[in-house]
Amino acid sequence: MPSRDDRLWNDLMALGGLTDPGRPYTRRCFTDRFLEGRRWLSQRFEDAGLRVRLDEGGNLIGRLEGGDPFLPVLAMGSHSDTVASGGRFDGPLGVLAGLEVVRRLRDRGIALRHPVEIIDFLSEEPSDYGPSCIGSRAMTGFLDEPMLSLANADGETLASAMRRMGADPSRLAGPRRNDVAAFLELHIEQARVLETRGCNIGIVTGIVGIARVEIEFTGAADHAGTTPFHVRQDALVAAAATISAVRRLGEAFAARSQDYFIATTGCIAIQPNAANVVPGTARLVIEARAERSAHLSDFLDEISLASLEAASAANVQRTAFRPLSRSEPAPSDPRLREHLMAAADALALTAIPMASGAGHDAGFMARIAPMAMVFVPSRDGRSHCPEEWTDAAACSEGASVLFEALLRIDGDDRFATRDGASSPARSD
Amino acid sequence: MPSRDDRLWNDLMALGGLTDPGRPYTRRCFTDRFLEGRRWLSQRFEDAGLRVRLDEGGNLIGRLEGGDPFLPVLAMGSHSDTVASGGRFDGPLGVLAGLEVVRRLRDRGIALRHPVEIIDFLSEEPSDYGPSCIGSRAMTGFLDEPMLSLANADGETLASAMRRMGADPSRLAGPRRNDVAAFLELHIEQARVLETRGCNIGIVTGIVGIARVEIEFTGAADHAGTTPFHVRQDALVAAAATISAVRRLGEAFAARSQDYFIATTGCIAIQPNAANVVPGTARLVIEARAERSAHLSDFLDEISLASLEAASAANVQRTAFRPLSRSEPAPSDPRLREHLMAAADALALTAIPMASGAGHDAGFMARIAPMAMVFVPSRDGRSHCPEEWTDAAACSEGASVLFEALLRIDGDDRFATRDGASSPARSD
């Protein structure tokens, strides 16, 4: 029988090994490879004594009953799907660590009061159908008909693809779950903060909200040789000033806020994009991420102003300032964070509070239950690439924090009522 | 018999009417449509009493012998090919105005001392094979083997395509023409200077040299949510600062120079170009155009410095500053400019000196002969589009300036020797 540490690590490597050949580590949702991974995972759940089911949203759930049939669920999980040519940790760690926690309970003969569920959420990564976090959206009432009707390039709808994965989208209109007392997600950090500061554990204060806008400038695609500066309407010049403003104002927001704030211009497209033609149109996609909703709004207001000024200076029109998407920040539950911090202390692990700049299934779970997340270090901050790496010891430490915290939460009467479960802490 | 004015205008409309149906006005070189236009043009040349030939570079030439068989050629011309969905004036005007000049000579019973050639240069517009100005390059010794070996998307080489047009690229290695005493090209301005200033005629002081460079920045394509500003390596931020510098420094060069100067960032491409990823690489194509070669070099030096500073500020590497192409400025011959100015004066037309910010066949002809160009106004400066327009009166005035100048040049003994022809004024 392998040691506890080896067991989790071996699971991670075994699931990672189920990859499209030739492009490790690829197990994209809605593929046969993904189903192969789920069959493996389902067997592991059963081996650990969990009762396995697929819910209507296509989430694979392994359940361990508790001592008190009237207590709500303590849930842990993440996702087993990957991006193309991704890594072995983003997602699987949170699912397999939950499984490992259950095994440790059994190893030690510990019976909890609460039932425990380990959840493998469907398609956390962006899919060919558009949205990400499909399973956690489904569980929390955020997967609506327009989303279900989105189609991939072959014309297959998301609803149809979900059915292929064993989901039943027709049942999603029903009431969302109200039986979850707490949700915990262990995840790799995907950044360099823990590594740089030499810390073992990040206790997530909140998952950022994300606002994306598209900005479009329209000038005139004149001849680059014959059009003097004073009559030019160069859309790229306006775009460049706006890109610089996003960085400058973003840094100012980050510097004056206690909370996490970041902003990026990630996309640009110009027309006609020819060496000898003044750019006639330019399109940017800008995103801001913040722990506080008001910061998103304030930043977008400032960028709107800056882009209007940039348009005016370049003698072009700002023909669009179009919101593309907006998700609200999801703060972690302070009581759960206390239990996680106490768990880390008990294990003599160094732990620091930090924001999650990336979205996670836990962000949707926060809509129906108290939520908290644990981060472990990512080597060089790399993620979504084959080089993604977290040491076996760090993976095990993350699982240990979940284990110790779960015992504490199980004993905390504040999580013993369904009232508590259905009224999570919010601060939108 | 139509009036002289109608004759040129009717020719312009007739040749313009030979267009790919559904996308006026399209007569791209190397197509059957282009050959259809050339058959029409060849017939018009013959109708005007010109002897028609195709030279080894695929240029269609109509020749009128002069009174003195030992005098070198006075040449006029431009090109009959168009861009896709282009106009009816860019190119055809210079060829058909030359033809009209010959007709007016005949109408008035004027016999010149010099032979006159009207040249329709092959493929002045950019082709699917890469280079532009193929015919004038060929005639002046600037179409070399590497260029002839360039292929289009179907794998056909330029040499092969030229053969389809009746050229004989195998003979291009011979000595370049040394029998041209002067070359004149009438062209639409393709900008708004004449229109804005209410002038009839632009006498071109010189054709700008064009230098193009590719600049590449390499940073790191990190997660846009989890990578704090102070560790970002955002290639787009460096590119944006460089785009702003091209405009700012370009305006400064233009302001402090007597000569024409313009600079543009026309192309940008970033990777991965995703909303949630910090741009890891950015590539710009920048061009400068100047009447003085030294200004091109000085500007590129300043942009090189500015791009290095931009890279440093954004914590990225400037991984390339790569010259893509460089053509030297081609000054007009001052004696020809004097004749053109005198011709405009004699016709009571307002004429101003101005640079050509666009390249033309005349730029290559300047390598083998004294050259000058005449511009007539373009409505709204529009060109390379179906709306391209120059009034019939302005077209006729341009032809009249050519006609009056040609008489003066024919009588100017400075153009009566082949020595003069083979030693054009240069100021590189």
Side-chain angles (χ1 to χ4, degrees):
Chain A
M1 181 174 164
S3 76
R4 290 187 324 202
D5 288 4
D6 290 340
R7 202 163 51 185
L8 171 57
W9 184 254
N10 292 346
D11 279 351
L12 281 164
M13 295 303 108
L15 184 53
L18 301 178
T19 171
D20 289 352
R23 55 168 193 167
Y25 297 93
T26 303
R27 198 171 50 254
R28 295 198 69 200
C29 195
F30 305 112
T31 66
D32 289 344
R33 188 74 58 200
F34 174 74
L35 291 176
E36 182 187 355
R38 277 211 155 168
R39 282 192 298 274
W40 178 92
L41 192 58
S42 186
Q43 187 61 54
R44 281 288 175 291
F45 281 1
E46 290 182 7
D47 293 347
L50 297 174
R51 185 162 53 83
V52 178
R53 73 181 194 276
L54 265 180
D55 75 4
E56 57 269 33
N59 302 301
L60 180 73
I61 302 175
R63 179 179 172 105
L64 180 71
E65 297 301 337
D68 183 341
F70 296 102
L71 287 183
V73 173
L74 304 181
M76 294 178 286
S78 192
H79 60 97
S80 70
D81 69 316
T82 73
V83 296
S85 298
R88 291 163 285 185
F89 303 87
D90 173 3
L93 177 61
V95 181
L96 295 172
L99 171 64
E100 175 60 19
V101 166
V102 170
R103 288 168 175 156
R104 291 188 196 177
L105 289 172
R106 194 181 57 181
D107 290 346
R108 301 192 189 180
I110 298 173
L112 297 185
R113 298 195 294 163
H114 289 261
V116 173
E117 290 191 3
I118 313 302
I119 308 175
D120 172 29
F121 291 103
L122 188 74
S123 193
E124 192 268 350
E125 302 291 359
S127 72
D128 297 339
Y129 307 86
S132 59
C133 293
I134 290 171
S136 50
R137 284 177 192 270
M139 187 176 286
T140 58
F142 286 86
L143 191 62
D144 55 16
E145 270 304 326
M147 278 188 188
L148 287 166
S149 302
L150 292 169
N152 69 2
D154 295 332
E156 185 189 41
T157 63
L158 175 57
S160 170
M162 288 176 70
R163 276 190 289 271
R164 280 199 290 111
M165 297 297 106
D168 185 355
S170 68
R171 288 171 50 218
L172 288 177
R176 59 189 189 175
R177 284 188 76 161
N178 66 348
D179 64 333
V180 181
F183 177 75
L184 299 177
E185 181 168 0
L186 173 66
H187 205 280
I188 61 170
E189 184 199 344
Q190 304 179 279
R192 301 185 187 93
V193 175
L194 290 173
E195 184 180 69
T196 306
R197 298 181 59 174
C199 286
N200 305 114
I201 297 291
I203 310 284
V204 172
T205 52
I207 298 172
V208 293
I210 308 176
R212 294 199 180 119
V213 294
E214 179 179 52
I215 303 180
E216 187 183 77
F217 297 102
T218 302
D222 290 313
H223 193 297
T226 62
T227 313
F229 286 120
H230 70 279
V231 299
R232 284 193 175 211
Q233 300 169 262
D234 188 327
L236 180 56
V237 166
T242 305
I243 294 163
S244 297
V246 167
R247 176 60 176 255
R248 187 179 66 251
L249 294 170
E251 292 201 64
F253 264 71
R256 71 174 179 244
S257 171
Q258 297 280 338
D259 305 306
Y260 188 71
F261 184 89
I262 196 79
T264 307
T265 307
C267 299
I268 184 169
I270 68 170
Q271 290 294 337
N273 206 22
N276 62 345
V277 186
V278 177
T281 64
R283 177 183 163 276
L284 301 174
V285 177
I286 288 162
E287 67 159 48
R289 297 180 185 228
E291 285 188 272
R292 291 166 62 92
S293 185
H295 289 177
L296 295 179
S297 304
D298 293 348
F299 180 76
L300 292 185
D301 286 348
E302 292 207 21
I303 291 302
S304 177
L305 197 61
S307 61
L308 282 173
E309 288 168 356
S312 175
N315 193 27
V316 305
Q317 301 294 311
R318 193 197 69 185
T319 40
F321 188 87
R322 193 180 294 128
L324 295 177
S325 64
R326 177 157 178 157
S327 67
E328 291 304 317
S332 301
D333 184 86
R335 302 163 302 175
L336 292 178
R337 284 167 53 194
E338 280 168 24
H339 285 309
L340 288 167
M341 193 61 82
D345 281 350
L347 293 161
L349 297 171
T350 53
I352 53 170
M354 61 189 301
S356 170
H360 293 288
D361 291 310
F364 284 97
M365 290 302 284
R367 311 297 174 182
I368 63 163
M371 169 281 290
M373 285 192 78
V374 178
F375 280 168
V376 286
S378 296
R379 189 163 70 191
D380 297 330
R382 305 290 300 276
S383 185
H384 282 197
C385 59
E387 296 77 20
E388 182 181 276
W389 185 264
T390 296
D391 288 335
C395 293
S396 179
E397 287 160 6
S400 297
V401 168
L402 285 187
F403 178 84
E404 294 293 335
L406 194 69
L407 299 186
R408 286 165 168 76
I409 297 162
D410 188 63
D412 183 343
D413 282 340
R414 293 176 295 179
F415 295 93
T417 62
R418 293 204 176 212
D419 279 357
S422 56
S423 306
R426 293 268 185 107
S427 74
D428 285 2
Chain B
M1 182 174 163
S3 75
R4 292 187 323 205
D5 287 6
D6 292 339
R7 203 162 52 186
L8 171 57
W9 185 255
N10 291 345
D11 279 351
L12 281 164
M13 294 304 107
L15 183 53
L18 302 178
T19 172
D20 289 353
R23 54 168 192 168
Y25 296 93
T26 304
R27 199 171 49 255
R28 295 198 70 199
C29 196
F30 306 112
T31 66
D32 290 343
R33 187 74 58 199
F34 173 74
L35 291 175
E36 182 186 356
R38 277 212 154 166
R39 282 192 298 273
W40 179 91
L41 192 58
S42 188
Q43 187 60 54
R44 282 288 176 288
F45 281 0
E46 290 181 7
D47 292 347
L50 298 173
R51 186 162 52 83
V52 178
R53 71 181 195 276
L54 265 179
D55 74 3
E56 57 269 33
N59 302 300
L60 180 72
I61 303 175
R63 180 179 172 105
L64 180 71
E65 295 303 336
D68 184 341
F70 296 101
L71 288 183
V73 173
L74 304 182
M76 294 178 285
S78 194
H79 59 96
S80 69
D81 69 314
T82 73
V83 297
S85 298
R88 288 163 288 184
F89 302 88
D90 173 4
L93 177 61
V95 181
L96 295 172
L99 172 64
E100 175 60 19
V101 167
V102 170
R103 288 168 174 157
R104 291 188 195 176
L105 289 172
R106 196 181 54 180
D107 291 346
R108 300 191 190 182
I110 297 173
L112 295 186
R113 298 195 293 164
H114 290 260
V116 173
E117 291 190 2
I118 314 303
I119 309 175
D120 172 29
F121 291 103
L122 188 73
S123 192
E124 192 267 353
E125 302 291 359
S127 72
D128 296 339
Y129 307 86
S132 57
C133 292
I134 288 171
S136 50
R137 285 176 191 272
M139 186 177 286
T140 58
F142 286 87
L143 190 63
D144 56 15
E145 270 303 327
M147 277 187 188
L148 288 165
S149 303
L150 293 169
N152 69 1
D154 294 333
E156 185 188 39
T157 64
L158 174 58
S160 171
M162 288 176 70
R163 275 190 289 271
R164 280 198 290 109
M165 298 297 105
D168 183 357
S170 68
R171 289 169 51 217
L172 288 178
R176 59 189 189 175
R177 285 188 75 161
N178 66 349
D179 65 333
V180 181
F183 177 75
L184 300 178
E185 182 168 0
L186 173 64
H187 205 280
I188 60 169
E189 184 200 343
Q190 306 179 278
R192 302 185 186 92
V193 175
L194 291 174
E195 183 179 71
T196 306
R197 297 181 57 175
C199 286
N200 305 115
I201 298 290
I203 310 285
V204 172
T205 52
I207 298 172
V208 293
I210 308 176
R212 295 201 179 116
V213 295
E214 179 180 54
I215 304 180
E216 187 182 80
F217 297 102
T218 304
D222 289 313
H223 193 298
T226 63
T227 312
F229 287 119
H230 71 278
V231 300
R232 283 190 177 214
Q233 300 170 261
D234 188 329
L236 180 56
V237 166
T242 304
I243 294 163
S244 298
V246 167
R247 176 61 176 253
R248 187 178 65 248
L249 294 170
E251 293 202 64
F253 265 69
R256 71 173 178 247
S257 171
Q258 297 281 339
D259 306 306
Y260 188 70
F261 184 88
I262 196 79
T264 307
T265 307
C267 299
I268 184 168
I270 67 170
Q271 291 292 339
N273 205 23
N276 62 345
V277 186
V278 177
T281 65
R283 176 185 164 276
L284 301 175
V285 177
I286 288 162
E287 68 160 45
R289 298 179 184 228
E291 285 188 271
R292 292 166 62 91
S293 186
H295 288 176
L296 295 178
S297 304
D298 293 349
F299 180 76
L300 292 185
D301 286 348
E302 291 206 23
I303 292 301
S304 176
L305 198 62
S307 62
L308 283 172
E309 287 169 356
S312 174
N315 194 28
V316 305
Q317 300 294 311
R318 193 196 70 184
T319 40
F321 188 87
R322 192 179 295 129
L324 295 178
S325 65
R326 177 159 178 155
S327 65
E328 291 305 315
S332 301
D333 183 87
R335 303 163 302 174
L336 293 178
R337 284 167 53 193
E338 280 168 24
H339 286 309
L340 289 166
M341 192 61 82
D345 281 349
L347 292 160
L349 298 171
T350 52
I352 53 170
M354 60 188 301
S356 171
H360 294 288
D361 291 310
F364 284 97
M365 290 301 285
R367 311 298 174 182
I368 62 162
M371 168 281 290
M373 286 192 77
V374 177
F375 280 168
V376 285
S378 297
R379 189 164 69 192
D380 297 331
R382 304 291 300 276
S383 185
H384 282 197
C385 59
E387 296 77 20
E388 183 181 276
W389 184 264
T390 295
D391 288 335
C395 293
S396 178
E397 287 160 5
S400 296
V401 170
L402 286 187
F403 178 82
E404 294 292 335
L406 193 70
L407 299 185
R408 285 164 168 76
I409 297 163
D410 188 62
D412 183 342
D413 282 342
R414 292 177 296 180
F415 295 94
T417 63
R418 293 204 176 212
D419 280 359
S422 57
S423 305
R426 294 269 185 105
S427 73
D428 285 3

